[in-house]
Amino acid sequence: MKMSKMLTLLFIAVTTVCGVHAQTVDDIVNKHIAAMGGADKLKDLQSMYTEGVMEVRGMEIPIKLWVVNDKAIRMEFEVMGSNNIQVVTRDKGWMQMAMQGNEPKEMDSAMVRTMQPRLDLAGELYNYKARGRKITLEGKETTDGAEAYKLKVLNPNGAELTIFVDAATYYIDKIKTRMNVQGQDMELTTVLSDYKKTPNGFVYPSSTTQDPIGTKISVSKVDINQPVDDSLFQMPKK
């Protein structure tokens, strides 16, 4: 796998009872929102800062992630003592990678489009109609003994993903995202687990794994609604 494709996938990875016919999409979405802390908690999300470790190819890579809701996302990760940065905003993206010469450069537009839905801190399901998303219930699937509702989500920009909502907890167990990376169609599968709650009641998955690249991210710190300096998202001058 080419290094540039690997970096794209890593960023995407960083930036989820009754019978199926007895449930509607809104039933499932509303129960999911309640499980995540409630609509008021999600509505009040303005920013999130996360620290953790990403395991990939036998390496443990420290990561930091800043997200300002509906505005910008910045990820920093350290490899062999060198800091690397990737940023996506509502209309563009840039990166500064030590392994690629450390010169800041514009991000590929396809990668920007793929990452932009992750600017929404409340997630794909919250307030989905007002955001122009279409969701259909595709049935149920059983994974590792747990039943999950299968929701197909279509974003206004054409991006499509499938979200699996646990039928017992209403947490998101898995997300499948179809994307085009450097001209190649592929599917990224993200499995979310070990949900925890912040002091203010916001629920988040502290462990995620991604395929096909085989990464695992373990979150050690989450801060909600702390001030974030706009300069973090500005591309350095060459």
Side-chain angles (χ1 to χ4, degrees):
M1 184 181 293
K2 294 182 179 179
M3 180 58 69
S4 57
K5 185 182 295 183
M6 178 75 166
L7 292 172
T8 300
L9 292 173
L10 287 175
F11 191 28
I12 294 169
V14 175
T15 47
T16 340
V17 117
C18 299
V20 63
H21 297 295
Q23 292 275 26
T24 67
V25 167
D26 284 344
D27 287 336
I28 297 166
V29 168
N30 290 338
K31 290 179 180 179
H32 164 71
I33 290 170
M36 298 304 292
D40 289 342
K41 288 286 189 299
L42 298 182
K43 181 181 178 181
D44 290 341
L45 284 175
Q46 298 300 317
S47 69
M48 182 183 296
Y49 170 70
T50 304
E51 291 182 6
V53 173
M54 177 167 54
E55 300 175 34
V56 56
R57 293 186 176 181
M59 297 186 295
E60 291 191 350
I61 302 172
I63 61 171
K64 297 179 181 180
L65 188 71
W66 293 261
V67 184
V68 176
N69 192 44
D70 281 338
K71 183 177 180 181
I73 181 171
R74 174 188 175 111
M75 184 175 77
E76 294 184 7
F77 60 98
E78 185 178 317
V79 178
M80 300 178 64
S82 298
N83 196 45
N84 301 270
I85 302 169
Q86 294 178 318
V87 170
V88 168
T89 67
R90 291 186 63 83
D91 56 1
K92 59 184 177 181
W94 60 272
M95 61 178 63
Q96 189 171 13
M97 313 296 291
M99 60 193 75
Q100 295 182 345
N102 210 36
E103 288 291 327
K105 63 179 182 179
E106 299 287 342
M107 187 179 291
D108 176 79
S109 60
M111 181 176 176
V112 172
R113 287 194 300 272
T114 301
M115 280 303 304
Q116 282 171 338
R118 289 158 179 80
L119 300 178
D120 185 355
L121 283 173
E124 296 281 346
L125 302 183
Y126 173 75
N127 207 19
Y128 72 93
K129 293 177 183 176
R131 294 179 176 274
R133 296 173 183 141
K134 296 180 180 180
I135 301 181
T136 55
L137 177 57
E138 302 290 304
K140 269 186 178 180
E141 285 194 10
T142 301
T143 304
D144 296 330
E147 282 193 326
Y149 295 106
K150 183 179 179 182
L151 302 179
K152 182 178 178 181
V153 181
L154 182 63
N155 281 284
N157 65 358
E160 180 181 309
L161 64 156
T162 305
I163 296 177
F164 296 82
V165 179
D166 189 290
T169 65
Y170 288 90
Y171 294 151
I172 293 177
D173 288 338
K174 181 169 58 178
I175 301 174
K176 290 185 177 182
T177 307
R178 298 200 61 81
M179 64 190 70
N180 186 285
V181 180
Q182 297 181 348
Q184 180 180 351
D185 289 328
M186 62 185 307
E187 184 176 76
L188 177 70
T189 299
T190 302
V191 177
L192 304 95
S193 60
D194 194 15
Y195 278 81
K196 296 182 179 180
K197 184 180 292 188
T198 64
N200 70 341
F202 174 72
V203 178
Y204 66 96
S206 66
S207 179
T208 63
T209 59
Q210 295 88 25
D211 285 316
I213 53 177
T215 63
K216 178 180 179 180
I217 299 173
S218 300
V219 173
S220 57
K221 179 180 180 180
V222 173
D223 287 335
I224 301 295
N225 293 343
Q226 297 298 310
V228 180
D229 195 325
D230 287 344
S231 64
L232 284 174
F233 309 109
Q234 296 173 2
M235 183 174 173
K237 295 182 180 180
K238 298 182 180 181

